Amino acid sequence: MKVNYTFRRRNWSNYLVEYAGKKASKLKKFESHNPFNVSVTFMDEKFERTVNLRVECDGEFYSAKARTDDYFDAIDSTFEKVTKQIEKTKTKAKSGKMRRLKSQKVNEQALESLRRKAA
């Protein structure tokens, strides 16, 4: 897993990098054969702290953005959003495969019953 950090209108902070790194390491459970890239952008605006998170996993992109008064809260919410997005796509993929397998079995059974009737 490759993690890139970008700071805009803010100085580099080891605390934020370490905290975001810990959160990013929890995403390893979704890593299959291909490693994925994580990009975290920290921005200071007038009275808000913004964190943009972009994850590339198996050719798909997931992104989240959070604006709060505190960077740590923003990091938490962006990683929660991306985790939910990844889980949702993984479960959709699994359920689609299961439906296809079930329909193939039904088609095979129908063909067998037609063959029996014809014979």
Side-chain angles (χ1 to χ4, degrees):
M1 175 184 347
K2 184 178 179 184
V3 183
N4 295 322
Y5 301 100
T6 306
F7 288 85
R8 295 190 178 151
R9 294 183 225 118
R10 187 183 195 321
N11 292 333
W12 181 269
S13 172
N14 287 332
Y15 298 116
L16 293 175
V17 169
E18 288 176 12
Y19 190 73
K22 286 179 185 176
K23 291 289 186 175
S25 67
K26 292 182 181 179
L27 293 177
K28 283 188 178 182
K29 66 182 178 182
F30 298 113
E31 190 172 28
S32 59
H33 303 290
N34 301 329
F36 57 93
N37 298 324
V38 178
S39 176
V40 183
T41 305
F42 300 96
M43 289 189 292
D44 262 348
E45 295 177 5
K46 287 187 178 183
F47 301 107
E48 292 180 327
R49 310 295 179 252
T50 305
V51 175
N52 289 329
L53 177 65
R54 183 178 166 102
V55 177
E56 179 185 357
C57 178
D58 293 330
E60 301 209 13
F61 293 95
Y62 307 96
S63 62
K65 182 177 185 178
R67 291 182 177 173
T68 60
D69 296 336
D70 185 29
Y71 274 118
F72 296 102
D73 292 338
I75 291 169
D76 289 338
S77 66
T78 55
F79 276 97
E80 279 181 30
K81 290 176 186 178
V82 167
T83 303
K84 286 180 184 178
Q85 290 173 11
I86 294 172
E87 287 175 348
K88 185 175 180 180
T89 57
K90 297 286 182 183
T91 56
K92 277 187 177 181
K94 286 181 182 177
S95 65
K97 288 179 185 175
M98 295 305 290
R99 274 188 265 135
R100 283 192 299 270
L101 290 174
K102 287 179 183 177
S103 66
Q104 286 175 354
K105 287 180 183 178
V106 168
N107 290 338
E108 289 173 2
Q109 290 171 354
L111 287 173
E112 282 184 38
S113 64
L114 288 175
R115 287 180 192 153
R116 288 180 191 158
K117 289 180 182 178

